[in-house]
């Protein structure tokens, strides 16, 4: 553990596992129970599909088939894990046969069920499947406080390895994400009522902590489309439909130098979500348009007008104004373990220059393994400075934040960076007091 280089993909049990953990959407459901429920529906389908007696019995069988097929669609709408559960109960092939049923109502209902399975099949799962289906695996992350508990049951993307190690980087509950999510839970004032962006989110625990702690909007981003698809599921299951509605999971590569869309040169006066401000033309802004509620920096000043930044405007260059017009900006930017290769530090700093709001209250929080454990991490301070950022940093030593990390990674040192734009001066480092063991002396 702790060697320099890209993070070694492995399964990290950040906290103790338990069968009853999870948010509002889980309701204690278990895989075996889901398969058993699907098996009961499949039995009904088989029984009623075999009826070949009197016409009245045949009619009753067709009606029962239709009801069972509609139940499958309802189950999948409630939880997409019912798609592989139905495959484990050998129900996919039966649906395909029922699509050609002689009764039009049954055939139509079967087609609807097939479409629901295809549309909502979980990332990494197979459709159709024939009995041999991998059970989903989860990481349990306890990121709340005693006063406001929050336990996240995070489903992994199926990797097709039959269990064991997680090999995909976005599939791992990295210690940096656990620490950042816990710190956000301890500082709800950082995100309450604000727009939040998380880069390289993976499982997205910091984003979900921010959504639960009152953020107005949260953009969870990752370059891996399977990661964002999976994060959207985890958000709904852990936060419930209402709270998860303000969290948008979109594919975005923050390390891509060409971030503007083909229409970046168009100075159109189109409005963005009912405001009189021009539309952000960066790829992230375009991706977020369909979610609504996300904004960019104030068009004419150095601050975000929605955040009160206009009252303390500083002189802003034409280039900075043009940048603020083109890029979607956020009050808070979060990143966990986002620098683990050479060149990534510059990518993070460049992203902050584009997407961090121009208000004096706009701040970024980055938690990353120390340079001894991640290649390129030593370049982060100079990259931030060269991109117009001021920062304060400290080593994460608080037992309250690090409790539960597995023995294999307990020697990996983590650093936290609090960042804002240089024109507003260095951020107040006292907010990070509880990141170290020093806070115990003042508790």
């Amino acid at each position: 553990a702790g060697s320099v280089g890209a993070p070694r993909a492995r399964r990290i049990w950040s906290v103790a596992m338990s069968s009853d953990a999870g948010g509002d959407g889980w309701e204690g459901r278990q895989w075996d129970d889901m398969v058993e429920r699907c098996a009961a529906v499949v039995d009904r389908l088989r029984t009623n599909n075999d009826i070949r007696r009197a016409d009245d019995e045949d009619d009753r069988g067709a009606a029962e088939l239709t009801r069972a097929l509609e139940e499958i669609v309802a189950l999948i709408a409630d939880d997409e894990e019912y798609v592989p559960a139905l495959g484990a109960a050998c129900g996919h092939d039966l649906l395909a046969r029922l699509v050609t049923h002689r009764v039009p109502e049954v055939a139509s209902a079967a087609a609807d069920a097939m479409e629901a399975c295809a549309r909502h099949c979980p990332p990494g799962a197979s459709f159709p499947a024939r009995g041999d289906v991998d059970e989903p695996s989860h990481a349990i992350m306890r990121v709340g406080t005693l006063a406001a508990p929050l336990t996240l049951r995070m489903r992994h993307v199926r990797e097709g390895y039959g269990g064991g190690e997680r090999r995909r980087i976005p599939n791992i509950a990295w210690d940096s994400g656990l620490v950042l999510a816990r710190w956000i839970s301890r500082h709800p004032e950082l995100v309450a009522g604000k727009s939040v962006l998380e880069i390289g989110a993976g499982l997205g625990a910091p984003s979900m902590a921010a959504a639960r702690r009152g953020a107005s909007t949260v953009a969870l981003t990752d370059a891996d489309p399977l990661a964002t698809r999976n994060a959207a599921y985890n958000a709904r299951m852990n936060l419930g439909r209402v709270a998860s509605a303000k969290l948008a999971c979109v594919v975005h590569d923050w390390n891509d130098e060409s971030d503007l869309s083909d229409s970046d040169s168009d100075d159109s006066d189109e409005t963005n979500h009912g405001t009189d401000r021009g539309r952000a033309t960066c790829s992230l802004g375009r991706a977020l348009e369909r979610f609504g509620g996300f904004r960019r920096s104030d068009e004419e000043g150095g601050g975000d007008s929605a955040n009160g930044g206009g009252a303390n405007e500083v002189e802003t260059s034409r280039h900075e104004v043009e940048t603020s017009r083109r890029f979607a900006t956020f009050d808070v930017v979060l990143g966990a373990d986002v620098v683990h290769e050479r060149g990534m530090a510059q990518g993070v700093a460049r992203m902050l220059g584009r997407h961090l709001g121009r208000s004096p209250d706009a701040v970024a929080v980055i938690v990353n393994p120390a340079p001894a454990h991640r290649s390129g991490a030593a370049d982060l301070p100079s990259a931030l400075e060269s991109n117009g950022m001021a920062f304060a940093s400290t080593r994460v030593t608080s037992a309250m934040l690090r409790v539960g990390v597995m023995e294999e990674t307990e020697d990996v040192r983590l650093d936290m960076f609090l960042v804002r734009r240089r024109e507003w001066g260095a951020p107040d480092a006292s907010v990070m007091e509880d990141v170290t063991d020093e806070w115990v002396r003042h508790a």
Side-chain angles (χ1 to χ4, degrees):
S3 60
V4 173
R8 181 159 53 91
R10 57 187 179 277
R11 192 175 200 167
I12 294 183
W13 300 98
S14 296
V15 288
M17 306 294 288
S18 71
S19 60
D20 61 349
D24 300 336
W26 291 106
E27 298 175 353
R29 64 183 58 165
Q30 298 298 311
W31 172 253
D32 290 344
D33 296 334
M34 299 174 77
V35 174
E36 183 177 348
R37 185 166 184 179
C38 287
V41 177
V42 169
D43 285 343
R44 287 164 53 198
L45 292 174
R46 286 178 176 148
T47 299
N48 289 279
N49 193 42
D50 290 339
I51 292 178
R52 296 290 188 274
R53 296 190 292 276
D55 288 344
D56 58 339
E57 291 180 338
D58 197 26
D59 289 342
R60 287 198 297 271
E64 180 58 28
L65 282 173
T66 302
R67 284 192 291 270
L69 292 167
E70 290 172 346
E71 181 178 341
I72 289 174
V73 174
L75 289 173
I76 293 170
D78 179 57
D79 188 342
E80 65 186 28
E81 280 298 328
Y82 276 107
V83 176
L86 184 65
C90 301
H92 291 168
D93 285 346
L94 183 53
L95 290 184
R97 292 197 298 272
L98 288 172
V99 169
T100 60
H101 197 276
R102 65 188 181 282
V103 178
E105 291 79 8
V106 174
S108 177
D112 289 344
M114 287 286 286
E115 181 182 0
C117 287
R119 183 185 299 272
H120 298 289
C121 186
S126 297
F127 174 76
R130 296 173 175 85
D132 187 15
V133 175
D134 287 337
E135 178 179 347
S137 64
H138 302 83
I140 307 302
M141 305 178 72
R142 293 185 173 86
V143 299
T145 63
L146 287 176
L150 177 59
T151 299
L152 302 173
R153 184 184 183 191
M154 308 291 258
R155 183 188 68 181
H156 298 116
V157 174
R158 288 173 173 82
E159 298 184 2
Y161 303 117
E165 284 192 352
R166 303 293 100 195
R167 290 172 170 81
R168 297 172 59 89
I169 289 177
N171 234 0
I172 300 171
W174 297 105
D175 296 338
S176 299
L178 175 69
V179 166
L180 181 54
R182 285 177 171 171
W183 191 74
I184 291 168
S185 291
R186 298 177 66 87
H187 293 272
E189 72 283 354
L190 178 75
V191 297
K194 298 179 181 179
S195 59
V196 177
L197 166 68
E198 183 181 4
I199 61 170
L203 292 176
S207 285
M208 294 181 204
R212 179 56 65 88
R213 294 300 180 252
S216 60
T217 53
V218 181
L220 182 156
T221 68
D222 197 282
D224 188 338
L226 293 183
T228 56
R229 166 85 158 73
N230 191 56
Y233 171 85
N234 282 329
R236 182 169 69 86
M237 299 302 289
N238 283 287
L239 304 178
R241 292 182 183 272
V242 175
S244 64
K246 60 185 176 182
L247 192 150
C249 299
V250 298
V251 179
H252 180 66
D253 185 0
W254 53 266
N255 204 33
D256 184 0
E257 294 188 29
S258 56
D259 191 33
L260 289 176
S261 69
D262 292 338
S263 61
D264 60 357
S265 60
D266 180 14
D267 292 326
S268 170
D269 291 331
E270 292 182 81
T271 59
N272 185 17
H273 309 309
T275 72
D276 57 0
R277 307 177 197 172
R279 172 183 290 170
T281 56
C282 66
S283 58
L284 177 58
R286 293 294 189 189
L288 290 171
E289 278 186 351
R290 66 187 180 92
F291 291 96
F294 290 88
R295 65 180 184 277
R296 60 172 183 77
S297 294
D298 182 60
E299 186 171 346
E300 298 298 337
D304 249 344
S305 62
N307 293 333
N312 296 303
E313 291 181 359
V314 297
E315 184 176 353
T316 306
S317 69
R318 178 176 177 82
H319 172 73
E320 288 173 328
V321 171
E322 287 302 316
T323 297
S324 73
R325 284 176 176 172
R326 294 181 176 184
F327 292 98
T329 57
F330 300 82
D331 303 318
V332 181
V333 178
L334 305 175
D337 214 328
V338 289
V339 179
H340 49 79
E341 293 179 6
R342 296 286 182 188
M344 281 187 156
Q346 276 294 336
V348 170
R350 183 173 55 247
M351 176 277 307
L352 291 177
R354 292 173 172 178
H355 297 297
L356 183 63
R358 310 200 72 84
S359 161
D361 296 325
V363 65
V365 187
I366 307 294
V367 177
N368 208 79
H373 310 292
R374 291 291 186 270
S375 178
D379 300 329
L380 185 56
S382 60
L384 292 172
E385 291 174 349
S386 64
N387 281 270
M389 299 293 156
F391 67 91
S393 64
T394 189
R395 182 63 46 83
V396 179
T397 57
S398 167
M400 292 294 292
L401 295 178
R402 295 193 57 119
V403 64
V405 300
M406 66 177 291
E407 183 178 353
E408 181 183 357
T409 59
E410 64 182 5
D411 65 330
V412 175
R413 297 183 295 278
L414 301 177
D415 292 328
M416 178 178 286
F417 291 80
L418 194 64
V419 186
R420 70 174 178 175
R421 294 188 179 275
R422 183 185 297 147
E423 55 260 37
W424 304 116
D428 181 7
S430 65
V431 71
M432 296 190 294
E433 184 180 62
D434 59 351
V435 171
T436 70
D437 289 328
E438 293 296 318
W439 72 277
V440 178
R441 303 179 186 178
H442 306 287

